[in-house]
């Protein structure tokens, strides 16, 4: 069984730990102020590891400043440096950058070509050893080692039982990752400081690659589609792929790589990753709202608006609440729209409200821990219900308060070996 520490790895036999949510900035790292701002926002939203692009001398020169700026804000989130092509030069030339990062992401497909590949890979691993940093061996099907792929294609053509083109690509991903990890160990990097990813864009390919990879190594695994897409497509694809693997106990860190819509916050990918884990019962991050989908009994949109308002309120409160109220992320809230399932669902939540449906008496009973406590009516139902939730949190989750949770957080053991 494999556990995960936020920036490193942890081989079979280590203490299991929850799956970690990761995200990545899309700012120019050379713009330290913008990068600090976005990393802080991602961290406030719940990202537990943040990757930043380190692609130029200008970017590398700012990494130490970014780390210090975050520390000054009380933000201790680990930073991962995303290196491609020139990472060996940047780590050597900018020791402040090498020291400030918690982990180096190395792509075996573009660390170097020909005879320079091993030399430049060696230099990056040596830096990780020198500065005691973790390494992610991050293989991507869009940037596979072309020399290796060509050799495998030649060998496959001569085989009595050749693989299909798709199967060969998947095998190339896995071999590239495992061979690079072994090379890093041979250089002197501790296996406990290595995590592997083999990212593709297709859901079935991702499931196949990681299922096979989990059978063939003890390394912690970072999950995610390399380009999930935009909007509902990206959310659905990521959920489908990650849920299958997580249900099998595969995966130690996850990222939902959403393409942001214009003017959309980068934090959406963090929220989606959290909700995947929380709705599967693997971790809890923020109280979630149960709400009915609506039907002919609920022709008013009031309950939809209230559910949205309450969910937004809960999520915005979490950066403050998580430091003041232990266990509040497990609280359940229900906002229901009529008398069919409303009272029942409300009773099952820590705090629930059953709003009147079409033609029903215009009153809204509120249930706290299964007991009806008050009936709201009039123009201030939303404000009054929000105040009830606030009072419940202060009473039940403050130090010394009576903690009552409907569904306790489940910690899971992460299986990287099938």
């Amino acid at each position: 069984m494999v556990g995960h520490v936020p920036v490193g790895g942890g081989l079979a036999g280590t203490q299991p730990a929850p799956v970690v949510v990761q995200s990545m900035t899309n700012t120019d790292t050379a713009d330290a102020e913008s990068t600090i701002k976005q990393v802080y926002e991602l961290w406030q939203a719940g990202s537990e590891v943040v990757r930043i692009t380190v692609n130029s001398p200008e970017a590398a020169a700012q990494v130490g400043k970014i780390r210090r700026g975050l520390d000054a804000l009380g933000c201790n989130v680990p930073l991962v440096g995303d290196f491609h092509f020139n990472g060996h030069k940047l780590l050597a030339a900018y020791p402040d950058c090498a020291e400030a990062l918690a982990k180096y992401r190395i792509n075996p497909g573009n660390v170097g070509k020909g005879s320079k590949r091993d030399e430049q890979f060696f230099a990056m691993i040596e830096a990780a050893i020198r500065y005691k940093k973790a390494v992610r061996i991050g293989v991507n099907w869009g940037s596979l080692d072309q020399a290796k792929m060509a050799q495998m294609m030649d060998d496959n053509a001569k085989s009595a039982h050749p693989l299909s083109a798709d199967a060969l690509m998947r095998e190339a991903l896995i071999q590239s990752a495992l061979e690079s990890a072994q090379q890093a160990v041979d250089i002197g990097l501790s296996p406990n400081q290595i995590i592997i990813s083999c990212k593709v864009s297709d859901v079935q390919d991702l499931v196949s690659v990681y299922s096979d990879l989990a059978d063939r190594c003890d390394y912690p695994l970072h999950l995610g589609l390399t380009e999930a897409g935009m909007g509902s497509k990206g959310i659905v694809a990521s959920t489908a792929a990650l849920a299958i693997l997580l249900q099998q106990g595969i995966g130690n860190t996850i990222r939902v790589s959403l393409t942001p819509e214009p003017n959309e916050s980068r934090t959406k990918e963090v929220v989606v990753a959290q909700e995947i884990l929380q709705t599967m019962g693997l971790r809890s991050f923020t109280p979630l709202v149960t709400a009915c989908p609506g039907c002919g009994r609920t022709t008013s949109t009031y309950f939809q608006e209230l559910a949205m308002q309450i969910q937004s309120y809960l999520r915005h409160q979490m950066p403050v609440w998580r430091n003041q109220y232990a266990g509040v992320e497990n609280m359940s809230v229900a906002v229901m729209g009529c008398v069919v399932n409303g009272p029942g669902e409300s009773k099952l939540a820590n705090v629930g409200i059953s709003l009147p449906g079409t033609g029903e008496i215009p009153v809204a009973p509120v249930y706290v821990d299964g007991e009806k406590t008050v009936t709201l009516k009039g123009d201030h139902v939303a404000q009054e219900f929000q105040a009830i939730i606030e009072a419940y949190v202060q009473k039940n989750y403050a130090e010394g308060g009576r903690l009552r949770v409907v569904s306790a957080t489940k910690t899971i053991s992460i299986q990287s070996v099938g």
Side-chain angles (χ1 to χ4, degrees), residues 181-408:
Q182 184 58 53
Q183 187 178 9
V185 172
D186 292 343
I187 293 168
L189 186 67
S190 169
N192 290 298
Q193 291 301 103
I194 296 173
I195 187 167
I196 286 177
S197 66
C198 288
K199 289 191 173 184
V200 298
S201 296
D202 180 80
V203 170
Q204 295 297 344
D205 282 329
L206 191 82
V207 171
S208 179
V209 166
Y210 275 92
S211 297
D212 198 358
L213 188 60
D215 283 337
R216 293 164 62 174
C217 78
D218 290 343
Y219 295 109
L221 304 178
H222 171 75
L223 308 184
L225 293 168
T226 187
E227 297 104 6
M230 182 179 286
S232 60
K233 185 272 179 184
I235 294 171
V236 171
S238 295
T239 302
L242 298 186
I244 292 170
L245 293 167
L246 292 168
Q247 190 67 20
Q248 297 177 51
I250 297 171
N252 300 77
T253 69
I254 65 170
R255 182 189 172 207
V256 176
S257 301
L258 295 180
T259 303
E261 297 179 5
N263 301 315
E264 183 178 52
S265 172
R266 188 70 164 179
T267 60
K268 185 174 182 178
E269 67 175 45
V270 178
V271 173
V272 173
Q274 289 179 330
E275 290 182 349
I276 290 172
L277 294 174
Q278 187 153 352
T279 54
M280 291 184 69
L282 302 179
R283 290 190 65 184
S284 291
F285 297 93
T286 189
L288 296 181
V289 175
T290 298
C292 63
C295 66
R297 292 177 176 270
T298 57
T299 53
S300 168
T301 61
Y302 186 78
F303 85 94
Q304 301 164 2
E305 295 161 0
L306 179 58
M308 182 182 295
Q309 177 182 327
I310 295 300
Q311 182 69 76
S312 177
Y313 162 73
L314 294 171
R315 184 163 288 282
H316 281 93
Q317 287 296 106
M318 278 308 297
V320 175
W321 280 359
R322 72 167 58 101
N323 295 322
Q324 296 180 356
Y325 303 113
V328 68
E329 66 275 8
N330 298 290
M331 182 177 67
S332 61
V333 177
V335 177
M336 303 302 293
C338 79
V339 298
V340 175
N341 292 320
E345 289 281 2
S346 296
K347 290 176 183 177
L348 290 173
N350 292 118
V351 184
I353 186 169
S354 180
L355 295 166
T358 305
E360 295 175 7
I361 299 173
V363 295
V366 174
Y367 299 84
V368 175
D369 288 340
E371 299 294 331
K372 181 179 174 181
T373 58
V374 66
T375 298
L376 304 180
K377 54 187 174 181
D379 297 329
H380 303 290
V381 169
Q383 297 92 321
E384 292 170 3
F385 184 60
Q386 187 168 300
I388 291 170
I389 293 173
E390 182 74 37
Y392 184 89
V393 170
Q394 293 177 3
K395 177 182 178 182
N396 293 284
Y397 296 96
E399 185 176 357
R402 178 178 60 85
L403 178 59
R404 188 260 192 194
V405 179
V406 170
S407 298

